[in-house]
C-alpha cells in the first residue's frame, strides 16, 4: 500500500523514468495501465487521473506526442470499459456472489465497492458511465455493474465513448496546459493529492445527499 501511495504521489517521476527506459514503448505501457484500471475489476487501485495529468505534462515538454497520446488513451479507456461491461454481462452475478461469500474472491473484489458502484449506477442511470470516469475505484466497477444489470449495449457504448473522450481530454489537457507551470511542477505531490481530492468530491457529495435524504425520511 505504501508503494501504491508513493506511485500516485510521484507518478510524474515514475513516468519520466519509464519514458527514458522504454522510449516509444511507453505508449504501450500507458495503454496497458489505463486499460487495466478501467477494464479489470481486480485492478481498481492503479493510478488514473494523476497518470493522465502527468502524461499531459510530459507531452507539453516534448517527451511524448500529445496527438498519439490522446488517441491511444481514449482507445484504452473505451476498450477497458467495453471489456468490463462484457465480463459483467456474462458472469457478473456469479462473481458478485462469490466475492460476498468466498474470502479468496474478496481479496480481489471488494463487495463494498460493488455495492457503491451499483447504488451510483441506479441513482444516475446511463450518466453514471460518464460521471464515474472521474471517480477513482467507482469507474472500475460501474461498467461491470452496468453489464451485470443488462444495460442495453448501444446505450452503454454511447456513454462509454463520450465518457472516455471527456476523461482523457480533460485530464491530459489539464496536464498539457498546467503541468509545466513552475509552481505545479515543483509541488506535484500536492497537485496529485488535489487531483485525488477533486476526484473523490462527487462521491462525498453523493454520500452527504443520500444521508440527508435518509434523515429527512425518518
Amino acid at each position: 500500500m505504501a508503494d501504491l501511495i508513493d506511485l500516485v504521489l510521484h507518478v510524474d517521476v515514475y513516468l519520466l523514468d519509464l519514458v527514458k527506459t522504454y522510449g516509444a514503448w511507453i505508449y504501450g505501457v500507458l495503454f496497458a495501465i489505463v486499460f487495466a484500471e478501467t477494464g479489470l475489476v481486480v485492478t481498481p487501485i492503479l493510478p488514473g487521473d494523476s497518470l493522465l495529468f502527468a502524461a499531459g505534462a510530459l507531452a507539453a515538454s516534448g517527451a511524448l506526442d500529445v496527438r498519439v497520446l490522446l488517441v491511444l488513451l481514449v482507445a484504452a479507456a473505451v476498450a477497458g470499459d467495453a471489456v468490463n461491461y462484457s465480463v459483467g454481462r456474462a458472469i457478473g452475478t456469479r462473481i458478485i456472489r462469490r466475492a460476498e461469500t468466498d474470502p479468496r474472491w474478496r481479496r480481489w473484489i471488494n463487495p463494498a465497492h460493488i455495492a457503491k458502484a451499483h447504488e451510483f449506477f441506479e441513482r444516475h442511470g446511463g450518466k453514471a458511465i460518464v460521471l464515474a470516469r472521474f471517480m477513482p475505484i467507482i469507474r472500475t466497477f460501474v461498467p461491470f455493474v452496468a453489464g451485470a444489470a443488462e444495460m442495453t449495449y448501444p446505450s452503454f457504448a454511447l456513454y462509454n465513448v463520450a465518457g472516455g473522450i471527456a476523461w482523457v481530454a480533460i485530464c491530459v489537457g489539464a496536464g498539457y496546459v498546467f503541468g509545466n507551470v513552475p509552481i505545479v511542477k515543483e509541488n506535484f505531490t500536492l497537485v496529485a493529492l488535489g487531483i485525488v481530492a477533486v476526484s473523490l468530491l462527487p462521491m462525498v457529495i453523493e454520500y452527504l445527499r443520500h444521508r440527508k435524504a435518509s434523515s429527512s425520511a425518518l
Side-chain angles (χ1 to χ4, degrees):
M1 182 59 71
D3 291 339
L4 176 63
I5 293 174
D6 185 66
L7 173 60
V8 172
L9 296 181
H10 303 99
V11 67
D12 58 326
V13 177
Y14 287 103
L15 187 55
L16 182 58
D17 288 342
L18 287 174
V19 171
K20 293 177 179 177
T21 302
Y22 295 104
W25 288 103
I26 186 61
Y27 295 107
V29 174
L30 289 171
F31 183 97
I33 293 173
V34 172
F35 176 84
E37 200 256 353
T38 58
L40 306 177
V41 291
V42 296
T43 54
I45 55 176
L46 288 173
D49 306 311
S50 58
L51 177 68
L52 298 186
F53 185 91
L58 280 180
S61 71
L64 297 172
D65 186 318
V66 69
R67 293 165 297 182
V68 174
L69 190 66
L70 288 170
V71 171
L72 281 179
L73 295 186
V74 168
V78 171
D81 265 25
V83 168
N84 213 343
Y85 169 90
S86 298
V87 173
R89 183 103 185 202
I91 56 175
T93 302
R94 281 177 285 173
I95 290 178
I96 293 171
R97 286 175 181 168
R98 287 190 179 183
E100 290 173 343
T101 59
D102 190 333
R104 292 172 297 179
W105 282 78
R106 201 175 300 130
R107 290 175 56 189
W108 300 102
I109 302 174
N110 191 329
H113 294 159
I114 294 285
K116 289 178 182 177
H118 189 272
E119 181 182 353
F120 189 74
F121 179 76
E122 288 295 319
R123 188 178 296 271
H124 295 286
K127 293 185 297 182
I129 307 298
V130 177
L131 296 174
R133 287 287 188 182
F134 300 90
M135 303 167 66
I137 298 178
I138 292 294
R139 68 169 153 259
T140 306
F141 290 99
V142 162
F144 178 83
V145 169
E150 298 186 344
M151 180 181 185
T152 58
Y153 187 76
S155 296
F156 171 81
L158 176 63
Y159 288 110
N160 179 23
V161 172
I165 292 173
W167 180 51
V168 172
I170 290 173
C171 292
V172 172
Y176 190 85
V177 174
F178 301 109
N180 290 297
V181 173
I183 191 171
V184 174
K185 194 171 184 179
E186 294 167 7
N187 298 277
F188 189 86
T189 297
L190 294 177
V191 173
L193 287 172
I195 292 172
V196 172
V198 171
S199 300
L200 293 175
L201 192 58
M203 283 190 289
V204 174
I205 293 174
E206 194 63 33
Y207 170 76
L208 293 175
R209 287 177 58 186
H210 181 69
R211 185 175 180 180
K212 182 178 180 181
S214 299
S215 299
S216 301
L218 295 177

